[in-house]
Amino acid sequence: MTKEGALLSFADLLEVATVCAPQRDYEMQTELVEQCRSMRRAFVAKMPVRHLFRCEICGLQTGEVLMHFEDPKQPLQAESNRLMWGTPAGHYVDIHKSELHRMLVHGADLSPAFQALLQQAAP
């Protein structure tokens, strides 16, 4: 499976929350995280941060976002305490949008944890 195909396995919870509840999108995203965990469905939760990133290679400039990819069908790789979106129910990777951009657009190496997460993701 391609990286793009693997990414399609993760429901974009902030996008769903923004469409369904634009006045309380972050609160709804948290609720959707719990729903996905109980349904054992892979998801990505997002939290924009206050700064921009600018790619040195292509010049892309956009808002930075912390992204939490989690697949409750995959076992946890290590014990984890409560994170921004609660206690993970399965393998997860936190990554910034700028890192993801460098890996997917410019061919930077995927971290071993992210690569493992994507390899096991099922559509």
Side-chain angles (χ1 to χ4, degrees), residues 13-14 25-34 37 43-50 64-70 80-89 92-96:
L13 301 187
L14 185 57
D25 50 357
Y26 293 107
E27 182 182 341
M28 178 154 210
Q29 177 179 235
T30 301
E31 294 167 11
L32 292 171
V33 165
E34 292 309 314
R37 286 177 176 152
F43 66 89
V44 58
K46 298 177 182 176
M47 181 57 67
V49 296
R50 294 183 181 257
E64 184 67 276
V65 179
L66 175 62
M67 306 171 88
H68 174 84
F69 287 86
E70 184 176 326
S80 176
N81 295 326
R82 184 174 172 82
L83 302 172
M84 184 180 304
W85 292 283
T87 304
Y92 72 92
V93 171
D94 289 337
I95 189 168
H96 283 93

Side-chain angles (χ1 to χ4, degrees), residues 8-33 35-36 39 41-46:
L8 289 173
S9 302
F10 294 85
D12 184 339
L13 301 187
L14 185 57
E15 186 66 28
V16 172
T18 300
V19 170
C20 295
Q23 300 303 317
R24 54 182 214 83
D25 50 357
Y26 293 107
E27 182 182 341
M28 178 154 210
Q29 177 179 235
T30 301
E31 294 167 11
L32 292 171
V33 165
Q35 286 182 32
C36 284
M39 297 182 326
R41 178 142 198 251
F43 66 89
V44 58
K46 298 177 182 176

Side-chain angles (χ1 to χ4, degrees), residues 52-107:
L52 298 174
F53 86 84
R54 183 174 190 283
C55 178
E56 308 80 29
I57 299 169
C58 69
L60 173 72
Q61 186 169 319
T62 189
E64 184 67 276
V65 179
L66 175 62
M67 306 171 88
H68 174 84
F69 287 86
E70 184 176 326
D71 186 354
K73 292 183 298 301
Q74 296 183 40
L76 278 168
Q77 300 300 308
E79 285 299 313
S80 176
N81 295 326
R82 184 174 172 82
L83 302 172
M84 184 180 304
W85 292 283
T87 304
H91 186 103
Y92 72 92
V93 171
D94 289 337
I95 189 168
H96 283 93
K97 185 177 180 179
S98 56
E99 297 171 87
L100 193 59
H101 172 80
R102 283 189 287 277
M103 289 186 278
L104 299 177
V105 176
H106 300 298

